[in-house]
Amino acid sequence: MGAKIIVLGGGFGGATAAQKLDKYLLNDDIDITLIEKNDSQTYLTELHEVAGNRIKPEGVKVSLKEALEFTRVKIVQDEINKVDIENKKIYSKTAEYDYDYLVIACGSEPAYFGIPGMKEHAFTLWSLKDAEIINKHIRDMFKKAQYENNREKRAKMLTFIVGGGGFTGVEMMGELMEWVNRLCKEYKISRDEVKLTLVEALPKILPTVRREHLVQKVVNFFNKNGVEVKTNSMITSVTPDGITLKSGEEIPTKTLIWTGGIQGNSFVANIGLTTDKKGRIVVNKYMESSNPYIYAIGDSASYVGEDGKPMPALVESALQSADAAAYNICASIKGLPKKELKLNLHGNMVSVGRKFAIAELSGIGGLSGYPATFMKHIVNMHYLFGLSGLGMCAQYIRDQFIDVPDKGKLSVIENHVAVTTNMFWLSLMRVFLGLMWIISGIQHIQEGWLSSVKLSAGASAAPMQNVPAWYGWFMEKFIFPHAIFFQSVITLSEIGIGLLLVAGLFTFIAALGTIFLHINFYLSGMATFNNWWYVITAIAIMGGAGRAFGLDYYVMPWLSKVLKHWVRRKKLKLNVF
């Protein structure tokens, strides 16, 4: 057996490091183990959506088994509590593990800055359990408030404070801002009774966003929706019944959600490696710690680039540092030159509820509103695709837009889009559309489309009436001179698309083919307005109609696994189940 490599932590950084190690050492005899205390990875940057009841808890879980499928990585569910650097061993309560190289990707934890009562009385948003606790607590406050007659007690229950105006704090307040509107209606409480406050110690919220006008848009959006933003307002103490600010102001509340700072995981800080003042492991440009056999990545690492800027706590940072660490472990094993980490971050994005966001993206600039919201969803799916493939992206869409816990939060259009239907009924439409294509193709064969010219400027089968000038030019120059060829392509395409639709095989592609053919028929004058039902039906069946009484039910999962195996193992394997 070759080198033993252990990755501690199954977040985006840890899972990516394990994937990259398997890739870079594809042809080497090695042992890669990923140790994670949970049975799945949690998408930490989306926890506010669970806390604010936008998505269900399952929506932030990523299966490590699927993420590491077709790799040699062994997944061990365990919690490590000790590292023996000298003897290259790590320990849990029940087991010990040997390593030659160790990658630490244990993330971070909330920093309380010694504020009295903060750790004891504030809610944190740093795990799925935290998010679920916050969700339950907020609903409980409304349940209790509806029956509370004491004015002061009721006011405390309906005052919600988020401490910290960074990305997490702003996103948490955005979700809370939208959810309380629904809760007020549900529990018959006036929205005027609910007080929402975002408290930030610095002069502005979102301090890492460079474009001031974007920050101001967030502030304006909060103000418009009844959220008070307090800057230059440091929290100095916390009790079960309220908070005190540096100014001396006291705010009675039963709810403080603390997002004001992070530090290295306490386990990481006590390993015995060189750490910074926040307890994160100091690493060099190769992601090596003070011990050359231990690497740290993501939030566990303290790295300052050549520009003097520290590596920010972002998913993108975790992914890039994971790749660098994996590459350099490979280089160390093979005696090759190592590669420096060159962070190439593409910007910042922050959502303020479901309908508003801001984005500061390199090459694009500043975005706000729905364009920024769209980009945030795209980036989230990009990360999930890189980690676990198309299946995880499809699941993300379902979690965000269809299988939501509280559809009352959606817009009117989103509510109707989120209505699900049994695919059985769409499968009937799919088969009918397929039969119509087959019939059309057979008719064209009977009319001689495979043997004699039917497409010409004077042919009755293809009248050149009301044809756009540019399309008429295209037909005169390319279609008519090669009429038999294009007639054959059209006829065989009709039959082929029809057979695919009837069989429910590659339904999405067949639906796209339907749309393409019909648009061409319409432009050439071969179809009328009444034939647009082809297009409408094709769009309707794109949502998975081939998975009900169709071959896509079997073929698409198989094909997805075949492609994943080919990408990760560089080999084509058909028997992947």
Side-chain angles (χ1 to χ4, degrees), residues 452-468:
S452 60
V453 174
K454 301 294 180 181
L455 296 176
S456 63
S460 59
M464 292 287 288
Q465 299 176 4
N466 301 320
V467 175

Side-chain angles (χ1 to χ4, degrees), residues 2-5 17-32 72 101 325-336 568-569:
K4 292 183 178 179
I5 307 172
Q19 288 179 345
K20 296 293 185 178
L21 284 164
D22 181 68
K23 174 184 176 181
Y24 292 138
L25 296 165
L26 186 62
N27 299 315
D28 294 84
D29 182 24
I30 58 166
D31 182 90
I32 306 172
R72 293 165 293 172
Y101 292 91
Y327 183 92
N328 290 324
I329 289 174
C330 172
S332 180
I333 291 173
K334 295 185 174 184
L336 301 173
R568 292 185 173 173
R569 311 310 306 158

Side-chain angles (χ1 to χ4, degrees), residues 510-574:
L512 287 178
T514 294
I515 296 170
F516 176 78
L517 278 181
H518 182 78
I519 290 175
N520 277 278
F521 289 162
Y522 188 77
L523 289 173
S524 66
M526 294 173 62
T528 66
F529 182 80
N530 293 334
N531 295 115
W532 276 99
W533 69 266
Y534 274 83
V535 175
I536 302 302
T537 304
I539 293 173
I541 66 176
M542 280 181 169
R547 292 177 179 267
F549 298 99
L551 294 179
D552 281 345
Y553 179 85
Y554 306 99
V555 172
M556 297 313 294
W558 169 81
L559 184 61
S560 177
K561 287 182 178 290
V562 168
L563 292 174
K564 184 185 283 189
H565 185 276
W566 180 75
V567 168
R568 292 185 173 173
R569 311 310 306 158
K570 303 304 179 187
K571 293 180 181 178
L572 182 63
K573 182 181 179 182
L574 301 182

